[in-house]
Amino acid sequence: MALQPSLRPLIIAGSGSAPHTLDVFLDYVCPYSAKLALAIENVLVPLFAEGGKYDGKVKVIFRNQVQPWHASSTWVHEASLAVARVAPQQFWPFSLALFKQQGEYFDIPTSTITPTQVRANLAKLAGDVIGNNLAGDVKELLDLKGSPNGGNAVTDELKYTIKFSRQNGIHVSPTVLWDGLIANEISSSWGEKEWTEFLAAKVAV
């Protein structure tokens, strides 16, 4: 699957040249996405890393899946894209931090504060992960600027991720593609056993 060069940090596991691709469409405020993200970190990342069983065989691409029925979904995905710009190697650690603290960005907790305050909180969380010296850079990217309806510095990247999902018919999170086709059998409840069996059937070691 395609990935524009500026979004290379979204390759969260494996080598970018690996022949097989696992595209994972996740929303930071989706509990099921959080479960799958933890499985990726605990099960798949070691398998696809250098020296792992599937080293050089499979790459995992994170696909930002904005769910507009959650008002904060846009803001948390903007923050991840800002971190990808400021500290590319920290995109996945920041994503994991977002998933672990996703409850703070659910509908009710964010209903009593402004979007500007939400973005400021996200920049602070980014600082906790990538260093407080870079938190200001993240906040600057998230600040609205330009025309009254012009978005912010990562709006173009956000548009790309949304258009990519739409043109590929991705509607819900999590959705997982294996080599470009939806793998409906993959579940957020999968653990090491299920993933091991899936990879054994799909990848020649």
Side-chain angles (χ1 to χ4, degrees), residues 40-71:
I40 291 169
E41 173 65 8
N42 295 326
V43 179
L44 298 185
V45 168
L47 289 173
F48 303 155
E50 185 176 352
K53 182 175 182 179
Y54 296 103
D55 178 12
K57 302 287 187 178
V58 185
K59 61 181 174 293
V60 182
I61 301 179
F62 184 104
R63 299 290 186 175
N64 297 78
Q65 180 69 6
V66 176
Q67 305 284 36
W69 47 86
H70 296 304

PDB file of all heavy atoms in Angstrom, residues 40-71:
ATOM      1  N   ILE A  40       0.019  -5.265  18.950  1.00  0.00           N
ATOM      2  CA  ILE A  40       1.077  -4.953  17.988  1.00  0.00           C
ATOM      3  C   ILE A  40       2.401  -4.737  18.715  1.00  0.00           C
ATOM      4  O   ILE A  40       3.443  -5.279  18.327  1.00  0.00           O
ATOM      5  CB  ILE A  40       0.697  -3.713  17.161  1.00  0.00           C
ATOM      6  CG1 ILE A  40      -0.479  -4.025  16.229  1.00  0.00           C
ATOM      7  CG2 ILE A  40       1.900  -3.207  16.350  1.00  0.00           C
ATOM      8  CD1 ILE A  40      -1.081  -2.806  15.568  1.00  0.00           C
ATOM      9  N   GLU A  41       2.353  -3.963  19.777  1.00  0.00           N
ATOM     10  CA  GLU A  41       3.574  -3.650  20.522  1.00  0.00           C
ATOM     11  C   GLU A  41       4.163  -4.896  21.188  1.00  0.00           C
ATOM     12  O   GLU A  41       5.376  -5.122  21.130  1.00  0.00           O
ATOM     13  CB  GLU A  41       3.275  -2.578  21.584  1.00  0.00           C
ATOM     14  CG  GLU A  41       4.411  -2.288  22.538  1.00  0.00           C
ATOM     15  CD  GLU A  41       5.638  -1.674  21.877  1.00  0.00           C
ATOM     16  OE1 GLU A  41       5.581  -1.317  20.681  1.00  0.00           O
ATOM     17  OE2 GLU A  41       6.663  -1.548  22.572  1.00  0.00           O
ATOM     18  N   ASN A  42       3.318  -5.691  21.790  1.00  0.00           N
ATOM     19  CA  ASN A  42       3.810  -6.807  22.596  1.00  0.00           C
ATOM     20  C   ASN A  42       4.096  -8.072  21.802  1.00  0.00           C
ATOM     21  O   ASN A  42       4.971  -8.858  22.173  1.00  0.00           O
ATOM     22  CB  ASN A  42       2.807  -7.128  23.707  1.00  0.00           C
ATOM     23  CG  ASN A  42       2.657  -5.991  24.700  1.00  0.00           C
ATOM     24  OD1 ASN A  42       3.610  -5.279  24.985  1.00  0.00           O
ATOM     25  ND2 ASN A  42       1.451  -5.809  25.215  1.00  0.00           N
ATOM     26  N   VAL A  43       3.369  -8.264  20.694  1.00  0.00           N
ATOM     27  CA  VAL A  43       3.507  -9.500  19.918  1.00  0.00           C
ATOM     28  C   VAL A  43       4.221  -9.280  18.589  1.00  0.00           C
ATOM     29  O   VAL A  43       5.190  -9.969  18.262  1.00  0.00           O
ATOM     30  CB  VAL A  43       2.124 -10.155  19.666  1.00  0.00           C
ATOM     31  CG1 VAL A  43       2.286 -11.424  18.843  1.00  0.00           C
ATOM     32  CG2 VAL A  43       1.423 -10.455  20.990  1.00  0.00           C
ATOM     33  N   LEU A  44       3.756  -8.305  17.813  1.00  0.00           N
ATOM     34  CA  LEU A  44       4.262  -8.162  16.445  1.00  0.00           C
ATOM     35  C   LEU A  44       5.590  -7.430  16.351  1.00  0.00           C
ATOM     36  O   LEU A  44       6.460  -7.824  15.567  1.00  0.00           O
ATOM     37  CB  LEU A  44       3.216  -7.460  15.575  1.00  0.00           C
ATOM     38  CG  LEU A  44       1.880  -8.190  15.425  1.00  0.00           C
ATOM     39  CD1 LEU A  44       0.982  -7.438  14.449  1.00  0.00           C
ATOM     40  CD2 LEU A  44       2.087  -9.621  14.950  1.00  0.00           C
ATOM     41  N   VAL A  45       5.755  -6.358  17.096  1.00  0.00           N
ATOM     42  CA  VAL A  45       7.001  -5.592  16.997  1.00  0.00           C
ATOM     43  C   VAL A  45       8.233  -6.473  17.219  1.00  0.00           C
ATOM     44  O   VAL A  45       9.190  -6.426  16.426  1.00  0.00           O
ATOM     45  CB  VAL A  45       6.986  -4.385  17.965  1.00  0.00           C
ATOM     46  CG1 VAL A  45       8.384  -3.764  18.065  1.00  0.00           C
ATOM     47  CG2 VAL A  45       5.995  -3.333  17.479  1.00  0.00           C
ATOM     48  N   PRO A  46       8.266  -7.328  18.243  1.00  0.00           N
ATOM     49  CA  PRO A  46       9.448  -8.196  18.410  1.00  0.00           C
ATOM     50  C   PRO A  46       9.645  -9.170  17.257  1.00  0.00           C
ATOM     51  O   PRO A  46      10.796  -9.474  16.883  1.00  0.00           O
ATOM     52  CB  PRO A  46       9.146  -8.944  19.714  1.00  0.00           C
ATOM     53  CG  PRO A  46       8.182  -8.078  20.449  1.00  0.00           C
ATOM     54  CD  PRO A  46       7.332  -7.454  19.388  1.00  0.00           C
ATOM     55  N   LEU A  47       8.554  -9.661  16.674  1.00  0.00           N
ATOM     56  CA  LEU A  47       8.667 -10.618  15.575  1.00  0.00           C
ATOM     57  C   LEU A  47       9.231  -9.983  14.310  1.00  0.00           C
ATOM     58  O   LEU A  47       9.934 -10.625  13.528  1.00  0.00           O
ATOM     59  CB  LEU A  47       7.297 -11.233  15.266  1.00  0.00           C
ATOM     60  CG  LEU A  47       6.721 -12.202  16.297  1.00  0.00           C
ATOM     61  CD1 LEU A  47       5.300 -12.584  15.914  1.00  0.00           C
ATOM     62  CD2 LEU A  47       7.596 -13.449  16.418  1.00  0.00           C
ATOM     63  N   PHE A  48       8.915  -8.703  14.097  1.00  0.00           N
ATOM     64  CA  PHE A  48       9.317  -8.025  12.866  1.00  0.00           C
ATOM     65  C   PHE A  48      10.605  -7.220  13.020  1.00  0.00           C
ATOM     66  O   PHE A  48      11.138  -6.707  12.041  1.00  0.00           O
ATOM     67  CB  PHE A  48       8.203  -7.088  12.383  1.00  0.00           C
ATOM     68  CG  PHE A  48       6.878  -7.777  12.144  1.00  0.00           C
ATOM     69  CD1 PHE A  48       5.694  -7.070  12.212  1.00  0.00           C
ATOM     70  CD2 PHE A  48       6.817  -9.129  11.859  1.00  0.00           C
ATOM     71  CE1 PHE A  48       4.471  -7.694  11.994  1.00  0.00           C
ATOM     72  CE2 PHE A  48       5.606  -9.768  11.638  1.00  0.00           C
ATOM     73  CZ  PHE A  48       4.425  -9.052  11.706  1.00  0.00           C
ATOM     74  N   ALA A  49      11.095  -7.113  14.241  1.00  0.00           N
ATOM     75  CA  ALA A  49      12.310  -6.334  14.499  1.00  0.00           C
ATOM     76  C   ALA A  49      13.538  -7.075  13.997  1.00  0.00           C
ATOM     77  O   ALA A  49      13.488  -8.266  13.660  1.00  0.00           O
ATOM     78  CB  ALA A  49      12.432  -6.054  15.994  1.00  0.00           C
ATOM     79  N   GLU A  50      14.653  -6.371  13.963  1.00  0.00           N
ATOM     80  CA  GLU A  50      15.913  -6.984  13.551  1.00  0.00           C
ATOM     81  C   GLU A  50      16.218  -8.177  14.454  1.00  0.00           C
ATOM     82  O   GLU A  50      16.212  -8.071  15.680  1.00  0.00           O
ATOM     83  CB  GLU A  50      17.046  -5.963  13.629  1.00  0.00           C
ATOM     84  CG  GLU A  50      18.373  -6.475  13.111  1.00  0.00           C
ATOM     85  CD  GLU A  50      19.453  -5.415  13.102  1.00  0.00           C
ATOM     86  OE1 GLU A  50      19.132  -4.233  13.360  1.00  0.00           O
ATOM     87  OE2 GLU A  50      20.615  -5.768  12.830  1.00  0.00           O
ATOM     88  N   GLY A  51      16.450  -9.324  13.839  1.00  0.00           N
ATOM     89  CA  GLY A  51      16.700 -10.535  14.596  1.00  0.00           C
ATOM     90  C   GLY A  51      15.457 -11.317  14.943  1.00  0.00           C
ATOM     91  O   GLY A  51      15.547 -12.450  15.436  1.00  0.00           O
ATOM     92  N   GLY A  52      14.280 -10.741  14.689  1.00  0.00           N
ATOM     93  CA  GLY A  52      13.025 -11.431  14.961  1.00  0.00           C
ATOM     94  C   GLY A  52      12.734 -12.485  13.909  1.00  0.00           C
ATOM     95  O   GLY A  52      13.361 -12.525  12.841  1.00  0.00           O
ATOM     96  N   LYS A  53      11.762 -13.323  14.179  1.00  0.00           N
ATOM     97  CA  LYS A  53      11.449 -14.430  13.286  1.00  0.00           C
ATOM     98  C   LYS A  53      11.089 -13.961  11.882  1.00  0.00           C
ATOM     99  O   LYS A  53      11.423 -14.615  10.891  1.00  0.00           O
ATOM    100  CB  LYS A  53      10.295 -15.259  13.864  1.00  0.00           C
ATOM    101  CG  LYS A  53       9.929 -16.472  13.019  1.00  0.00           C
ATOM    102  CD  LYS A  53       8.873 -17.323  13.689  1.00  0.00           C
ATOM    103  CE  LYS A  53       8.553 -18.558  12.847  1.00  0.00           C
ATOM    104  NZ  LYS A  53       7.522 -19.423  13.493  1.00  0.00           N
ATOM    105  N   TYR A  54      10.416 -12.820  11.784  1.00  0.00           N
ATOM    106  CA  TYR A  54       9.974 -12.322  10.483  1.00  0.00           C
ATOM    107  C   TYR A  54      10.715 -11.051  10.080  1.00  0.00           C
ATOM    108  O   TYR A  54      10.192 -10.227   9.343  1.00  0.00           O
ATOM    109  CB  TYR A  54       8.465 -12.083  10.500  1.00  0.00           C
ATOM    110  CG  TYR A  54       7.672 -13.363  10.704  1.00  0.00           C
ATOM    111  CD1 TYR A  54       7.104 -13.671  11.934  1.00  0.00           C
ATOM    112  CD2 TYR A  54       7.512 -14.278   9.667  1.00  0.00           C
ATOM    113  CE1 TYR A  54       6.390 -14.841  12.131  1.00  0.00           C
ATOM    114  CE2 TYR A  54       6.799 -15.449   9.841  1.00  0.00           C
ATOM    115  CZ  TYR A  54       6.240 -15.724  11.079  1.00  0.00           C
ATOM    116  OH  TYR A  54       5.533 -16.892  11.263  1.00  0.00           O
ATOM    117  N   ASP A  55      11.925 -10.919  10.569  1.00  0.00           N
ATOM    118  CA  ASP A  55      12.785  -9.781  10.211  1.00  0.00           C
ATOM    119  C   ASP A  55      12.905  -9.680   8.689  1.00  0.00           C
ATOM    120  O   ASP A  55      13.272 -10.651   8.017  1.00  0.00           O
ATOM    121  CB  ASP A  55      14.164  -9.975  10.846  1.00  0.00           C
ATOM    122  CG  ASP A  55      15.139  -8.865  10.502  1.00  0.00           C
ATOM    123  OD1 ASP A  55      14.719  -7.828   9.971  1.00  0.00           O
ATOM    124  OD2 ASP A  55      16.343  -9.043  10.785  1.00  0.00           O
ATOM    125  N   GLY A  56      12.571  -8.512   8.147  1.00  0.00           N
ATOM    126  CA  GLY A  56      12.687  -8.284   6.707  1.00  0.00           C
ATOM    127  C   GLY A  56      11.546  -8.854   5.892  1.00  0.00           C
ATOM    128  O   GLY A  56      11.533  -8.709   4.667  1.00  0.00           O
ATOM    129  N   LYS A  57      10.565  -9.484   6.559  1.00  0.00           N
ATOM    130  CA  LYS A  57       9.458 -10.127   5.844  1.00  0.00           C
ATOM    131  C   LYS A  57       8.171  -9.303   5.852  1.00  0.00           C
ATOM    132  O   LYS A  57       7.389  -9.347   4.903  1.00  0.00           O
ATOM    133  CB  LYS A  57       9.163 -11.495   6.463  1.00  0.00           C
ATOM    134  CG  LYS A  57      10.334 -12.464   6.467  1.00  0.00           C
ATOM    135  CD  LYS A  57      10.618 -13.006   5.091  1.00  0.00           C
ATOM    136  CE  LYS A  57      11.678 -14.106   5.157  1.00  0.00           C
ATOM    137  NZ  LYS A  57      11.952 -14.692   3.824  1.00  0.00           N
ATOM    138  N   VAL A  58       7.927  -8.594   6.959  1.00  0.00           N
ATOM    139  CA  VAL A  58       6.651  -7.901   7.140  1.00  0.00           C
ATOM    140  C   VAL A  58       6.890  -6.509   7.719  1.00  0.00           C
ATOM    141  O   VAL A  58       7.751  -6.339   8.589  1.00  0.00           O
ATOM    142  CB  VAL A  58       5.708  -8.676   8.088  1.00  0.00           C
ATOM    143  CG1 VAL A  58       4.343  -7.991   8.162  1.00  0.00           C
ATOM    144  CG2 VAL A  58       5.559 -10.131   7.653  1.00  0.00           C
ATOM    145  N   LYS A  59       6.129  -5.552   7.240  1.00  0.00           N
ATOM    146  CA  LYS A  59       6.123  -4.220   7.847  1.00  0.00           C
ATOM    147  C   LYS A  59       4.694  -3.898   8.292  1.00  0.00           C
ATOM    148  O   LYS A  59       3.723  -4.388   7.706  1.00  0.00           O
ATOM    149  CB  LYS A  59       6.625  -3.152   6.876  1.00  0.00           C
ATOM    150  CG  LYS A  59       5.816  -2.977   5.612  1.00  0.00           C
ATOM    151  CD  LYS A  59       6.434  -1.909   4.731  1.00  0.00           C
ATOM    152  CE  LYS A  59       5.747  -1.800   3.369  1.00  0.00           C
ATOM    153  NZ  LYS A  59       5.961  -3.013   2.530  1.00  0.00           N
ATOM    154  N   VAL A  60       4.593  -3.085   9.322  1.00  0.00           N
ATOM    155  CA  VAL A  60       3.301  -2.642   9.825  1.00  0.00           C
ATOM    156  C   VAL A  60       3.192  -1.142   9.607  1.00  0.00           C
ATOM    157  O   VAL A  60       4.069  -0.387  10.038  1.00  0.00           O
ATOM    158  CB  VAL A  60       3.134  -2.958  11.325  1.00  0.00           C
ATOM    159  CG1 VAL A  60       1.748  -2.519  11.802  1.00  0.00           C
ATOM    160  CG2 VAL A  60       3.352  -4.442  11.596  1.00  0.00           C
ATOM    161  N   ILE A  61       2.119  -0.731   8.957  1.00  0.00           N
ATOM    162  CA  ILE A  61       1.863   0.690   8.734  1.00  0.00           C
ATOM    163  C   ILE A  61       0.656   1.113   9.549  1.00  0.00           C
ATOM    164  O   ILE A  61      -0.425   0.529   9.430  1.00  0.00           O
ATOM    165  CB  ILE A  61       1.626   1.011   7.244  1.00  0.00           C
ATOM    166  CG1 ILE A  61       2.833   0.604   6.401  1.00  0.00           C
ATOM    167  CG2 ILE A  61       1.333   2.507   7.067  1.00  0.00           C
ATOM    168  CD1 ILE A  61       2.653   0.861   4.915  1.00  0.00           C
ATOM    169  N   PHE A  62       0.844   2.111  10.393  1.00  0.00           N
ATOM    170  CA  PHE A  62      -0.254   2.699  11.150  1.00  0.00           C
ATOM    171  C   PHE A  62      -1.037   3.613  10.219  1.00  0.00           C
ATOM    172  O   PHE A  62      -0.465   4.478   9.555  1.00  0.00           O
ATOM    173  CB  PHE A  62       0.301   3.499  12.324  1.00  0.00           C
ATOM    174  CG  PHE A  62      -0.744   4.088  13.239  1.00  0.00           C
ATOM    175  CD1 PHE A  62      -0.993   3.516  14.466  1.00  0.00           C
ATOM    176  CD2 PHE A  62      -1.458   5.213  12.879  1.00  0.00           C
ATOM    177  CE1 PHE A  62      -1.940   4.053  15.322  1.00  0.00           C
ATOM    178  CE2 PHE A  62      -2.416   5.766  13.714  1.00  0.00           C
ATOM    179  CZ  PHE A  62      -2.659   5.177  14.941  1.00  0.00           C
ATOM    180  N   ARG A  63      -2.340   3.425  10.183  1.00  0.00           N
ATOM    181  CA  ARG A  63      -3.214   4.269   9.369  1.00  0.00           C
ATOM    182  C   ARG A  63      -4.159   5.028  10.301  1.00  0.00           C
ATOM    183  O   ARG A  63      -4.967   4.432  11.002  1.00  0.00           O
ATOM    184  CB  ARG A  63      -4.019   3.421   8.383  1.00  0.00           C
ATOM    185  CG  ARG A  63      -3.164   2.633   7.397  1.00  0.00           C
ATOM    186  CD  ARG A  63      -2.475   3.527   6.393  1.00  0.00           C
ATOM    187  NE  ARG A  63      -1.766   2.739   5.374  1.00  0.00           N
ATOM    188  CZ  ARG A  63      -1.147   3.281   4.321  1.00  0.00           C
ATOM    189  NH1 ARG A  63      -1.136   4.594   4.156  1.00  0.00           N
ATOM    190  NH2 ARG A  63      -0.526   2.515   3.442  1.00  0.00           N
ATOM    191  N   ASN A  64      -4.032   6.336  10.312  1.00  0.00           N
ATOM    192  CA  ASN A  64      -4.899   7.168  11.152  1.00  0.00           C
ATOM    193  C   ASN A  64      -6.339   7.069  10.670  1.00  0.00           C
ATOM    194  O   ASN A  64      -6.656   7.481   9.549  1.00  0.00           O
ATOM    195  CB  ASN A  64      -4.448   8.626  11.097  1.00  0.00           C
ATOM    196  CG  ASN A  64      -3.057   8.827  11.640  1.00  0.00           C
ATOM    197  OD1 ASN A  64      -2.070   8.541  10.966  1.00  0.00           O
ATOM    198  ND2 ASN A  64      -2.965   9.322  12.856  1.00  0.00           N
ATOM    199  N   GLN A  65      -7.212   6.512  11.507  1.00  0.00           N
ATOM    200  CA  GLN A  65      -8.611   6.338  11.149  1.00  0.00           C
ATOM    201  C   GLN A  65      -9.465   7.263  12.011  1.00  0.00           C
ATOM    202  O   GLN A  65      -9.907   6.906  13.101  1.00  0.00           O
ATOM    203  CB  GLN A  65      -9.030   4.873  11.336  1.00  0.00           C
ATOM    204  CG  GLN A  65     -10.466   4.568  10.984  1.00  0.00           C
ATOM    205  CD  GLN A  65     -10.747   4.674   9.491  1.00  0.00           C
ATOM    206  OE1 GLN A  65      -9.849   4.874   8.680  1.00  0.00           O
ATOM    207  NE2 GLN A  65     -12.004   4.545   9.128  1.00  0.00           N
ATOM    208  N   VAL A  66      -9.677   8.474  11.520  1.00  0.00           N
ATOM    209  CA  VAL A  66     -10.473   9.455  12.259  1.00  0.00           C
ATOM    210  C   VAL A  66     -11.937   9.019  12.263  1.00  0.00           C
ATOM    211  O   VAL A  66     -12.507   8.734  11.211  1.00  0.00           O
ATOM    212  CB  VAL A  66     -10.337  10.859  11.633  1.00  0.00           C
ATOM    213  CG1 VAL A  66     -11.252  11.843  12.345  1.00  0.00           C
ATOM    214  CG2 VAL A  66      -8.889  11.333  11.690  1.00  0.00           C
ATOM    215  N   GLN A  67     -12.520   8.953  13.463  1.00  0.00           N
ATOM    216  CA  GLN A  67     -13.936   8.607  13.602  1.00  0.00           C
ATOM    217  C   GLN A  67     -14.677   9.883  13.991  1.00  0.00           C
ATOM    218  O   GLN A  67     -14.680  10.284  15.149  1.00  0.00           O
ATOM    219  CB  GLN A  67     -14.113   7.532  14.677  1.00  0.00           C
ATOM    220  CG  GLN A  67     -13.277   6.275  14.444  1.00  0.00           C
ATOM    221  CD  GLN A  67     -13.858   5.375  13.349  1.00  0.00           C
ATOM    222  OE1 GLN A  67     -14.411   5.853  12.356  1.00  0.00           O
ATOM    223  NE2 GLN A  67     -13.736   4.086  13.519  1.00  0.00           N
ATOM    224  N   PRO A  68     -15.346  10.548  13.019  1.00  0.00           N
ATOM    225  CA  PRO A  68     -15.894  11.889  13.269  1.00  0.00           C
ATOM    226  C   PRO A  68     -17.041  11.946  14.255  1.00  0.00           C
ATOM    227  O   PRO A  68     -17.402  13.033  14.701  1.00  0.00           O
ATOM    228  CB  PRO A  68     -16.337  12.350  11.868  1.00  0.00           C
ATOM    229  CG  PRO A  68     -16.530  11.101  11.088  1.00  0.00           C
ATOM    230  CD  PRO A  68     -15.526  10.129  11.621  1.00  0.00           C
ATOM    231  N   TRP A  69     -17.621  10.779  14.617  1.00  0.00           N
ATOM    232  CA  TRP A  69     -18.674  10.820  15.637  1.00  0.00           C
ATOM    233  C   TRP A  69     -18.100  11.069  17.018  1.00  0.00           C
ATOM    234  O   TRP A  69     -18.844  11.310  17.962  1.00  0.00           O
ATOM    235  CB  TRP A  69     -19.517   9.546  15.602  1.00  0.00           C
ATOM    236  CG  TRP A  69     -18.737   8.273  15.545  1.00  0.00           C
ATOM    237  CD1 TRP A  69     -18.216   7.561  16.593  1.00  0.00           C
ATOM    238  CD2 TRP A  69     -18.378   7.554  14.370  1.00  0.00           C
ATOM    239  NE1 TRP A  69     -17.562   6.447  16.145  1.00  0.00           N
ATOM    240  CE2 TRP A  69     -17.650   6.409  14.780  1.00  0.00           C
ATOM    241  CE3 TRP A  69     -18.607   7.747  12.994  1.00  0.00           C
ATOM    242  CZ2 TRP A  69     -17.136   5.471  13.876  1.00  0.00           C
ATOM    243  CZ3 TRP A  69     -18.100   6.813  12.113  1.00  0.00           C
ATOM    244  CH2 TRP A  69     -17.374   5.704  12.547  1.00  0.00           C
ATOM    245  N   HIS A  70     -16.770  10.979  17.161  1.00  0.00           N
ATOM    246  CA  HIS A  70     -16.096  11.409  18.383  1.00  0.00           C
ATOM    247  C   HIS A  70     -15.412  12.744  18.077  1.00  0.00           C
ATOM    248  O   HIS A  70     -14.486  12.798  17.268  1.00  0.00           O
ATOM    249  CB  HIS A  70     -15.053  10.382  18.821  1.00  0.00           C
ATOM    250  CG  HIS A  70     -15.632   9.052  19.186  1.00  0.00           C
ATOM    251  ND1 HIS A  70     -16.606   8.910  20.146  1.00  0.00           N
ATOM    252  CD2 HIS A  70     -15.383   7.809  18.706  1.00  0.00           C
ATOM    253  CE1 HIS A  70     -16.925   7.630  20.250  1.00  0.00           C
ATOM    254  NE2 HIS A  70     -16.207   6.942  19.394  1.00  0.00           N
ATOM    255  N   ALA A  71     -15.868  13.795  18.722  1.00  0.00           N
ATOM    256  CA  ALA A  71     -15.375  15.134  18.393  1.00  0.00           C
ATOM    257  C   ALA A  71     -13.872  15.259  18.546  1.00  0.00           C
ATOM    258  O   ALA A  71     -13.214  15.973  17.785  1.00  0.00           O
ATOM    259  CB  ALA A  71     -16.075  16.167  19.280  1.00  0.00           C
TER     260      ALA A  71
END
